[in-house]
Amino acid sequence: MRTKRYYEIAAEASKKIDGHPGLMKLREWCKKAEKILDVGCGVGRRLNVRGGGMGVDINHFAISQAKKKYPESDFQIASVEKLPFADKSFDLVYSAFVIEHVKSPEKMLEEMIRVTSKRLVIICPNYGSPNRRSPVSTENPMSKLIR
């Protein structure tokens, strides 16, 4: 379901969680960091907080949208389980609402640790995803998925 519609739904859900405590702290760290990597960046919205950085995602559609929408950042197609960067390339490496979707989270973590020189941040789970919902949500999961 990683289609245009999926990313439209995910973008709407992202707007609803802008006040998430983890995202608020992440914004603070982004403003202080020099070299940032967003692992599983989707359409690049989180990198826009700082106005620049590097984002990687495996989805071609997401990366094409990110490049159009946020030209001040760099984006490339890459697997989060095999990042195409040298060791200690970034002082802030983060992933928000991605790890629970990855086939091998331990490989993703190993790669994130490898490419960071200072700070690693992981925020999860992704209840904004069209096929997920918060345990406290009263919304019917099938209704959300169909919408």
Side-chain angles (χ1 to χ4, degrees), residues 82-125:
K82 187 165 174 53
L83 297 172
F85 307 107
D87 295 357
K88 301 189 184 322
S89 296
F90 302 91
D91 58 325
L92 172 61
V93 175
Y94 69 84
S95 180
F97 314 115
V98 174
I99 197 165
E100 64 272 22
H101 301 287
V102 177
K103 287 180 184 173
S104 179
E106 60 279 353
K107 284 195 177 275
M108 177 181 165
L109 285 171
E110 288 171 4
E111 281 296 280
M112 290 175 73
I113 290 166
R114 182 183 66 76
V115 300
T116 191
S117 65
K118 189 174 180 181
R119 186 176 307 249
L120 175 84
V121 179
I122 296 177
I123 302 171
C124 65

Side-chain angles (χ1 to χ4, degrees), residues 31-43:
K31 290 176 183 172
K32 297 174 185 174
E34 289 183 35
K35 293 187 79 181
I36 299 171
L37 175 62
D38 182 347
V39 177
C41 66
V43 296

Side-chain angles (χ1 to χ4, degrees), residues 10 54 56 58 61 64 69 74 78-79 89 97 117 126 136 144 147:
M54 169 62 75
V56 296
I58 200 161
F61 176 79
S64 71
K69 199 164 190 177
D74 295 315
S79 168
S89 296
F97 314 115
S117 65
N126 183 2
V136 299
K144 184 178 183 186
R147 182 179 43 128

